[in-house]
Amino acid sequence: MDRLVTVRAFREWQDRLALGLDPNRKTITICGGTGCTAFGAPAVQEAFQREIARRGAAGEVPVKVTGCHGFCEKGPVVVILPSKVFYPSVQVEDVPEIVEKTVLRGEIVERLLYVDPITQRKVAHDHEVPFYARQQRFVFRLNGVLDPTSLEDYVAHGGYVSAAKVLSDLTPSQVVEEITGSGLRGRGGAGFPTGRKWALARAEKGEPKYLVCNADEGDPGAFMDRSLLEGTPHAILEGMIVAAYAIGASQGIIYVRAEYPLAVRNAKIAIGQAQAAGLLGDRILGTGFSFDIIVREGAGAFVCGEETALLASLEGRRGAPRPRPPFPVQSGYLGKPTVINNVETLANVPLIIEKGVGWYRGFGTEGSKGTKIFALAGKVNNTGLVEVPMGATLRQIVHQIGGGVLKGRAFKAAQMGGPSGGCVPAQYLDLPIDYESVKEVGAIMGSGGLIILDETTCMVDIARYFMDFCAKESCGKCPPCRIGTKRMLEILERICAGQGQPEDVDRLEILANQVKKNALCGLGQTAPNPVLSTLRHFREEYLEHITLKHCRASACPALVEAPCLHACPAGVDVPDYLTLAAQERYAEALAVVQMRNPFASVCGRVCDRKCERYCRRTDLDEPLGIRDIKRYVTDAVAAPWRPPEPWSQRQTPHRVAVVGAGPAGLSCAYFLRFFGHQVTVFEELPQPGGMVLVGIPEYRLPAERLQRDIDFILSTGVELKLNSRVKSLEELFAAGYEAVFLGVGAHQGQPLEGIDPRTPGVLDGVRFLRDRRFGKAPERLGRTAVVGGGNVAVDAARVARRLGGQVTIVYRRTRAEMPAYLEEIEEAEQEGIRFEFLVQPVGLAAGSKGAPSALKCVRMKLGLADASGRRRPVPVPGSDFEIPCDTVISAVGQVVSTENAWNLELTKSGTYRIDPVTLATSRERVFAGGDCARGPASVVQGIGDGQRAAAAIDRLLGGSGELPDQLKLSRQRFAVEGEAAAARPRPPLAALAERTASFAEVLGTLGAAEANQEARRCLRCDLEREKAAKK
Amino acid sequence: MVRLTIDGREIQAESGQTILEAALAQGIAIPHLCHEPRLEPAGACRLCQVHLTDASKAPVLACTTRAAEGMVVITESPDLAERRKAILELLLSEHRVACASCDADGDCTLQDLAYRYGAAEWLYGAYEHKEPVALNYTSENRGIEYDVEKCVRCSRCVRFCEEVQMASALTFDGRGITMKVNTAHGRPLHASDCELCGGCIRICPTGAMREKAAKGAGRAKDLARVGTTCTYCGVGCTFDLMVDRRKNRIVRAEARPGSPINDGNLCVKGHFGFEFVGSPERLTDPLVRRGDSFEKASWEQALELVGRRLREIRAKHGPTAAAFMSSCRCTNEENYLVQKLARAAAGTNNVDQCATTCHAPTVAGLAAAFGSGAMTNSTREIRDCRVLFIIGCNATEAHPIVGLEMKKALRRGATLIVCDPRKTWLARHAHIHIQHRPGSDNMLVNAMMSHIVEQGLHDRKFVAERGENFEAFRENLRGYSVEKAAQYCGVDAELIRQAAELYAKGSPSAIFYTLGITEHSCGTDNVKNMANLAMLCGQIGKPSSGVNPLRGQNNVQGGCDMGAMPHRLPGYQDWKDPASREKFEKAWGVRLPEDPGGKITHFIERAGTGELKALYIMGEDPVMSEPNQGKVIAHLRKLDFLVCQEIFLSETAKLAHVVLPGACFAEKDGTFTCSERRVQRVRKAVEPPGEARADWQILCLVSGALGYPMNYAGPAEIFDEIARLTPSYGGMSYARLESGGLQWPCPTPDHPGTRYLHEGKFTRGRGLFHPIVFQPQKEEPDGEFPLILSTGRTLYHYNVGNMTRKVAVSNQKQSANFVEIHEETAARYGIVDGQQVTVRSRRGAVTALAAVGQRVRPDTIWMPFHFAEEPANVVTNDVFDPVTATAEYKCCAARLEPAGGKP
């Protein structure tokens, strides 16, 4: 085209092009961004062209390659205009059908539509896809629309109008004022006010001045700059023209890493077009302003994103930073005043000029205006580029735009700001994100990397991973960064490998702070952030790695033989028994379980299945049905069960007392017998089993199943004294016991606030369950309100239901936040139990005889996140109402009975304070575990405690404390044949009518074939590790 | 000046100084590892953090923050100590803390700072290096060793190599913890761009960079430190010889930043070139010829023989039948004694030294124009020049430390104009390189001056007030148009104009020249034209502006100053001037001879004719250094008696009848006068080998044997005599020379010395313009010998190679002679790089390796003269400057033959 020599000529041209846009024109647009290209977009594009040509529609329906849509994981992305039908992940073979139906006939191809991962709903149009619908795309507005290689397309959509306006209507200082007024801050990370930077550069005397567009986007996972430069290169050029005019620069440089070939290509094409059109070069649009741009490719060092290192690289020197001052605006490229702006910053500039400062300031927070693009990645359903106003919350980004955490796992933290950013934990899910707020919680905005971490992510490992990156990318110039990152990495590696030393955490923290304080440039100063932020929010994970050699995410390879095994508090060798079960070697499978867990039957039914939460199979399809298989095994092996071999081998003269015959106490006794010590278990109740007996109704755990496990334990030679209340520890020591294990549980229910627990008709949930077990249930319950959301609440509700009550569960949050097992909630719902969510009882309405007539309640709504990330319920003023009821059962938590504290030190929550490794209490030779030490915990946690305490007691008594070797009876992996996605079998449920009428077991056992098949899905992660170790 | 407070002390700082510089100048030791006064601030080591005003605020870097008026600086606080300790502990965590076996023990900044801040060595576990360290880029070279395990990556060596030496041979390789010093692509150091200056060693704050030869030979605390002056070129670098007294051995040379000329810098020879001192080839006893071989003799025997033979020859043939060659390698005191020996004891003015070979035209030409012949500016002024006009001068190789000053000027933005037939380092980095044909200098310079006058760019005021004979000079220029010169010189006319204009307008401009100007049959004319150019533009008599011949040998200036030449008494006093004669006759107690004497060139001629019967040579090797070697040897063989006073059995000594073993510079006391007229002390570091004695002692003994006893308690006493008799040295004494030396003229004990000459007034009053008529070289190329051969020095060797050929580092770099040939020429002759070629002239032939490239013009070949095995002077032309008898080494006609026959 001819050079445009006046602003007027440009405007006329622009008008013509804008008028030429036909919103009703049929067009096939296909994303040509790097992500979609990698997914095969070019082949799909060709297929469309071929198909269109084959149908003789070549002239009518153009196939347009656009910039990136941002939803890169769904590439190649195709949008059919004018209806905007959205097809993700389009393959070549889909093309004829799309052309046939959608392009030519205006129909929708259902099977190709996007399915919302949350609602499972199909979505037809791109603006309806939640990923897009919840964003506010301003900077990105043209990215998936324009042909990046067409100047005309950009101009038709309003491109260069801002540049023309600035050049013809505004003075440079007016432009600086506009940008200053807009509140735009540098999107590269530091958030320096752009207008102020321009003003400083403008005031500098040196000539010439340079403008550098920093497109050295180094953060792994962040690609918004790349996407912008690839998709709307002219917008960047336009931003640069405005910036250059404002500061008086005559030369612009786009510094872009060479591994962005498409960005380099598109930027160069755009520059060529702009030069030819008179939008760059001498006397732009005939004004007195001359400015040109070149592209310089960097070799891809992370540190070259740091502006002084970038300048060194531009000048042909090693990319290393230098101290500031002087700042680049004073002495930059070749010693001349230089403004360095990030791509996204420059992309905001035309928008501000076009729409006005007032409009722009309408978005964002007090200190951070406009929008920010995040690169959303990690354990979240939708990943890609996300543009939201400053001040959006993580919850909005993760749960609304991102579609929630993958596989329904719990959100743990968001890693923000790239490798030298920090981890923002769940409690800040509702924090409005802007430059200051992110910094306050220990992360940085950075260029907008946002990686979602779930409960299977180890925070120490995350710190290690990012430290590894920083250590490798350190330029090496200053010792704090060069050596400090390496030393931090070594400590982190040591901790992850289970070789951490107790002093490592403090050492790491001191070192991290020194590196932060002393490093030369931004890279070094922020490199400790991953460490500092994880130490700040997840310190206990470090300590667990060091003292317990435990990785709660089951992620650190050196500590984790297999995630299931590691996650199991009792350390059961899950893969081994699954494989044995698959081989129908049930007795051996049972023995493998009993090597670590004497309550095989109990755990086959009521275990909380930590193993399954961390099962790697989840990433493929579904976690293994580990508990169901265990149950199958215990059902398949005939009782009585004999103790495994090692249990009969030793006999020592030492005597140990165990107080409480619950899972913790009996497990402790069982393992003490393994070590050969003589054990006496004292139980206050007439039957053994503790909370398993009195807290878990028979419909979940039939009595004879519990009895089997107890018989098995007693068969190892444990002496059990029932109806025996231990009055003092001295008494035990006086009787010759050398050590004591306390497993007395937490049987004391917590009262409801505002309700006198002594009121007739007001029951405590735990007590209710126990009384019922011993035949002391109240005669008539009537309308029963059960308050609480945990397992005790649901159990109490279901028991009440079976006793004839009309039951309502009252819970102050929503179903999603209920701590009770999901299947129990579902079963309760099936059994006709009502739920009142977001309701908080505040008192009783008195009925006759002092019994209640109704529960006074107030409605709640969800507020900001608490420490766990769950939203805290807050009362809705004036929403008081009543739930008519005859009985109120309180199930809002239990505590350890304080009447018999044995003079032990207690924690703040009233449990016995114990050493996390040995479970020793504050008294010598006294150990404790289970609920009395941890608060209400799971059965398997109690078993694990008993086991560890037994080992510690053995060491105390002169033994090695080493548990029996894992048997490792199987060495086979079936998953090779079973890696195809397979559904997990569901155990049968008893018929509903029978369920509500009796205490018969609700859940059935899997069939033999099902159990066998299910066991074959195990991936045998433990063998992988063995293989790796051999290598 | 700004005033600031550091740690409660109010101090003054020069404006522009950083806090660190200001503090260090006041002895306030802010810790630092990466700062070095010669380097730009890097801000890398982070140790020099200091607080401004408030110790609770984030600190700033002292090395990059400029001192400002009223600033309050706090250099120590608990926070700072903690920071520094943390940084040092990190450094120690990757440092092999092997102080017990480290050469740098006691001389290591890291060690000092770790001690000062109590940094723990093993905080991060036992030191462990995973990479093999034995092999690296320094494994093969013989001079420098890099130990990555001791490297703190302060980048001082890398920055020195880039900023000061500008060799950019060293770089960092890798990132983060894997980063280490390396050459590009890991090439062996001696095969890289490294100039083996050893600057990396001296600037290293730890033991990471070390001299290989000094390994295990002594730590700082084991060694004595003897400050002395370099024995190689005329720049006058000073350094400390680190000496193991017990073993009587020089372990290494150390220069410290701040030394007056070299500012702590040294070249390859200054750093590694003293291996010869302890060479087993050193002469240890007097030798007396028996037939074709030598026999060891006692001093008594040897002296008796020398005295007897010289007396006999004098008796038979008169005093002028004997001649004395002094040595510019020897001290002022010894040069003084040689000429005193010749004049007072032997009764002849037949005394000369190697200035005749090189810079005599400078002395003659500048004396004619200005009244005195020496470098008018000081070396340290070079960095402030804005335009450097460098002609016939390869400073970065022949005068490397002056080269560094030129590089510094270049870095500071000066304009470089280089006129040289070769693409030297300076030529490659010049703004204008005029690659004119050898011998066309006056054509070029006349054309430049003609252009300057034509453009009216000359300094009319200066010419009018301070010049004389301008009109005749101007008239002469009319014959030299730029076009004519461009054609003759073979260069672009525009370049000549640009060069002329840049020089004339420079503020200030200075001229630098060396043997490319003097070693011509028109050498004196060339020098006069240098003076013409400077006077024409008023570029003289100011700081950083003047005419600067870079003298060749360490004491060639002193040799001339001391009157070791036939027509001048010490201090250039005319031997014919009655007052001077009277002064010396009175002092020496003899009648001064009245014969005109002769120069080296004449001695050799007269030896051939039989006119000269005896020649006494102290520390010279004319066989190697004089042109047309075949003739030189033939003539020397005709002498009745040849005495050589030497440290090695040189090519000339091999012809002698008596050889007397001398002490080298490291084995005696005395003074050298360097190119910038600075008189500096030479101090005895080690004992001479065997029976060898200091030359001044030998000269006294010989004088005694001739019947004129000279008794001096030591060099100081000789120097006092010199000072008494030499006005320009009149204010000097050893006591005054202690700290940094003095630049002559220094006529009185309270005179501070003279930094630059001719301020306001020339020595001779007005400056004399000489109209110079261009004279072509004496032997023009022709069909038979179509190429111009030029000879010169390289960086790695020194002159006749007597010393450097015994130095491993130099020999590894260059072990044999070579001839530079342009690739077009090579192609024409079918010569490939690295093959043996024979260079032939009318006088002889020499075979050397072909070095094919683009360093020389297609019509020119070039070779160094350092190699006794392949001596370049077999080929050079024995034609001489009529005034000074200096030979035309820089151009003779030659041809190339692939070795083994004609092409």
Side-chain angles (χ1 to χ4, degrees), chain B residues 335-566:
Chain B
N335 274 283
Y336 174 81
L337 289 193
V338 170
Q339 60 88 30
K340 185 174 174 184
L341 176 70
R343 289 183 168 120
T348 175
N349 279 323
N350 272 343
V351 59
D352 198 15
Q353 33 73 20
C354 69
T356 292
T357 315
C358 57
H359 261 298
T362 290
V363 179
L366 295 187
F370 304 145
S372 62
M375 186 165 164
T376 70
N377 298 105
S378 295
T379 303
R380 276 293 185 101
E381 292 173 26
I382 298 173
R383 60 184 67 175
D384 296 320
C385 295
R386 298 304 299 163
V387 176
L388 287 84
F389 182 77
I390 300 167
I391 182 164
C393 168
N394 181 13
T396 57
E397 293 207 59
H399 301 85
I401 301 305
V402 166
L404 290 190
E405 280 288 320
M406 292 173 171
K407 289 172 178 178
K408 187 156 199 154
L410 184 63
R411 282 180 76 86
R412 291 171 150 212
T415 304
L416 235 58
I417 304 163
V418 174
C419 308
D420 203 303
R422 291 168 76 216
K423 281 206 179 85
T424 60
W425 190 98
L426 289 168
R428 281 189 285 120
H429 292 78
H431 297 82
I432 292 178
H433 176 207
I434 295 177
Q435 195 170 11
H436 60 310
R437 65 170 272 185
S440 65
D441 308 87
N442 277 335
M443 188 63 92
L444 174 70
V445 176
N446 276 350
M448 279 175 64
M449 293 190 293
S450 149
H451 181 70
I452 288 166
V453 172
E454 231 170 65
Q455 296 292 312
L457 293 172
H458 56 294
D459 188 338
R460 287 189 175 79
K461 185 162 178 278
F462 187 94
V463 168
E465 288 174 3
R466 297 192 53 187
E468 94 188 29
N469 199 30
F470 180 69
E471 281 314 313
F473 160 79
R474 181 195 188 120
E475 191 55 36
N476 177 58
L477 291 182
R478 289 189 205 287
Y480 299 91
S481 71
V482 170
E483 274 66 29
K484 178 179 161 188
Q487 202 189 0
Y488 185 82
C489 301
V491 296
D492 184 355
E494 191 48 36
L495 283 183
I496 299 178
R497 288 194 193 94
Q498 281 177 17
E501 289 169 20
L502 281 168
Y503 172 80
K505 291 177 186 167
S507 177
S509 296
I511 297 170
F512 300 88
Y513 72 86
T514 318
L515 305 185
I517 285 296
T518 59
E519 286 184 347
H520 288 281
S521 54
C522 55
T524 304
D525 279 356
N526 283 353
V527 172
K528 286 175 177 165
N529 241 358
M530 296 295 106
N532 287 339
L533 179 61
M535 290 192 293
L536 180 66
C537 300
Q539 298 283 16
I540 188 162
K542 301 185 288 195
S544 305
S545 179
V547 178
N548 296 292
L550 306 180
R551 303 302 297 263
Q553 309 217 39
N554 56 322
N555 199 31
V556 68
Q557 185 66 51
C560 297
D561 293 350
M562 291 304 106
M565 43 191 182

Side-chain angles (χ1 to χ4, degrees), chain B residues 35-363:
Chain B
H35 165 83
E36 216 277 350
R38 289 170 285 176
L39 305 177
E40 297 293 323
C45 78
R46 321 301 294 165
L47 287 167
C48 71
Q49 299 180 71
V50 293
H51 295 295
L52 292 184
T53 313
D54 183 351
S56 66
K57 290 219 180 99
V60 300
L61 281 190
C63 72
T64 56
T65 309
R66 305 239 171 264
E69 184 69 33
M71 213 175 226
V72 176
V73 180
I74 302 158
T75 73
E76 290 291 352
S77 75
D79 176 42
L80 290 176
E82 214 170 276
R83 286 166 184 255
R84 289 166 183 162
K85 184 163 175 271
I87 293 164
L88 290 164
E89 281 168 345
L90 284 173
L91 286 170
L92 289 172
S93 78
E94 67 162 357
H95 187 87
R96 184 153 52 82
V97 187
C99 302
S101 59
C102 183
D103 286 301
D105 180 29
D107 187 22
C108 169
T109 315
L110 180 63
Q111 195 185 45
D112 296 344
L113 292 176
Y115 178 78
R116 178 166 158 191
Y117 289 99
E121 290 160 14
W122 306 110
L123 189 68
Y124 300 99
Y127 166 83
E128 189 186 354
H129 231 279
K130 291 178 185 80
E131 277 178 69
V133 293
L135 284 177
N136 65 32
Y137 69 100
T138 60
S139 300
E140 290 173 40
N141 89 90
R142 312 240 342 230
I144 300 170
E145 181 178 82
Y146 173 60
D147 182 350
V148 68
E149 296 185 335
K150 290 178 184 163
C151 175
V152 292
R153 279 81 166 177
C154 63
S155 76
R156 274 155 72 149
C157 55
V158 172
R159 286 183 289 141
F160 181 88
C161 198
E162 184 187 327
E163 294 176 15
V164 178
Q165 193 67 23
M166 288 179 81
S168 295
L170 296 185
T171 182
F172 275 125
D173 175 7
R175 273 185 215 161
I177 202 76
T178 67
M179 181 173 96
K180 55 185 183 293
V181 178
N182 203 347
T183 53
H185 312 295
R187 284 168 69 85
L189 198 58
H190 63 281
S192 73
D193 290 337
C194 174
E195 294 168 4
L196 294 164
C197 68
C200 49
I201 296 176
R202 283 286 75 78
I203 207 158
C204 178
T206 70
M209 290 277 190
R210 289 275 120 182
E211 294 93 343
K212 281 192 173 169
K215 258 192 102 177
R219 295 157 296 180
K221 60 184 168 191
D222 306 328
L223 303 176
R225 183 180 286 277
V226 181
T228 192
T229 304
C230 187
T231 185
Y232 285 108
C233 76
V235 172
C237 299
T238 51
F239 49 78
D240 296 336
L241 288 176
M242 302 300 288
V243 177
D244 184 338
R245 294 270 194 227
R246 284 175 310 136
K247 292 187 176 161
N248 193 37
R249 180 182 162 188
I250 297 169
V251 173
R252 58 175 180 265
E254 284 190 12
R256 300 266 159 148
S259 53
I261 291 168
N262 49 317
D263 194 16
N265 303 317
L266 290 173
C267 72
V268 56
K269 299 180 287 278
H271 207 120
F272 296 103
F274 306 119
E275 198 178 337
F276 76 88
V277 175
S279 166
E281 293 176 48
R282 283 288 299 278
L283 295 172
T284 54
D285 294 276
L287 300 175
V288 174
R289 176 166 298 282
R290 293 277 181 271
D292 283 343
S293 62
F294 288 111
E295 269 178 17
K296 283 188 181 176
S298 70
W299 274 106
E300 290 72 24
Q301 293 166 328
L303 286 168
E304 189 277 329
L305 180 62
V306 171
R308 178 161 52 80
R309 292 291 288 128
L310 288 177
R311 284 198 309 272
E312 281 169 12
I313 288 166
R314 180 177 179 178
K316 194 164 170 193
H317 303 288
T320 56
F324 295 81
M325 278 172 68
S326 187
S327 172
C328 298
R329 322 312 315 283
C330 291
T331 63
N332 284 323
E333 292 76 359
E334 288 157 349
N335 274 283
Y336 174 81
L337 289 193
V338 170
Q339 60 88 30
K340 185 174 174 184
L341 176 70
R343 289 183 168 120
T348 175
N349 279 323
N350 272 343
V351 59
D352 198 15
Q353 33 73 20
C354 69
T356 292
T357 315
C358 57
H359 261 298
T362 290
V363 179

Side-chain angles (χ1 to χ4, degrees), chain B residues 690-729:
Chain B
E691 293 298 312
R693 294 189 187 179
D695 294 281
W696 66 268
Q697 289 172 311
I698 301 173
L699 292 170
C700 289
L701 292 170
V702 169
S703 188
L706 285 180
Y708 180 79
M710 295 199 274
N711 292 311
Y712 295 101
E717 198 180 321
I718 306 173
F719 191 83
D720 288 343
E721 182 175 318
I722 295 168
R724 276 199 305 279
L725 296 170
T726 312
S728 56
Y729 282 61

Side-chain angles (χ1 to χ4, degrees), chain A residues 757-840:
Chain A
R758 290 163 304 184
T759 315
V762 174
L763 306 176
D764 168 60
V766 184
R767 173 122 200 172
F768 167 71
L769 290 172
R770 186 169 66 216
D771 287 352
R772 208 283 307 159
R773 184 70 195 225
F774 293 119
K776 291 191 277 184
E779 301 259 307
R780 191 183 156 279
L781 290 164
R783 296 164 303 170
T784 306
V786 181
V787 181
N791 280 327
V792 172
V794 178
D795 283 341
R798 294 177 72 188
V799 167
R801 174 77 180 89
R802 280 163 173 77
L803 297 177
Q806 297 113 51
V807 186
T808 304
I809 289 179
V810 178
Y811 182 49
R812 60 195 184 122
R813 303 186 201 234
T814 71
R815 187 178 187 265
E817 281 92 24
M818 279 182 77
Y821 302 164
L822 182 61
E823 71 261 25
E824 280 225 63
I825 299 167
E826 286 169 354
E827 287 167 17
E829 286 167 343
Q830 291 159 7
E831 290 164 9
I833 291 165
R834 283 181 55 226
F835 285 80
E836 283 280 359
F837 293 118
L838 290 169
V839 171
Q840 170 87 41

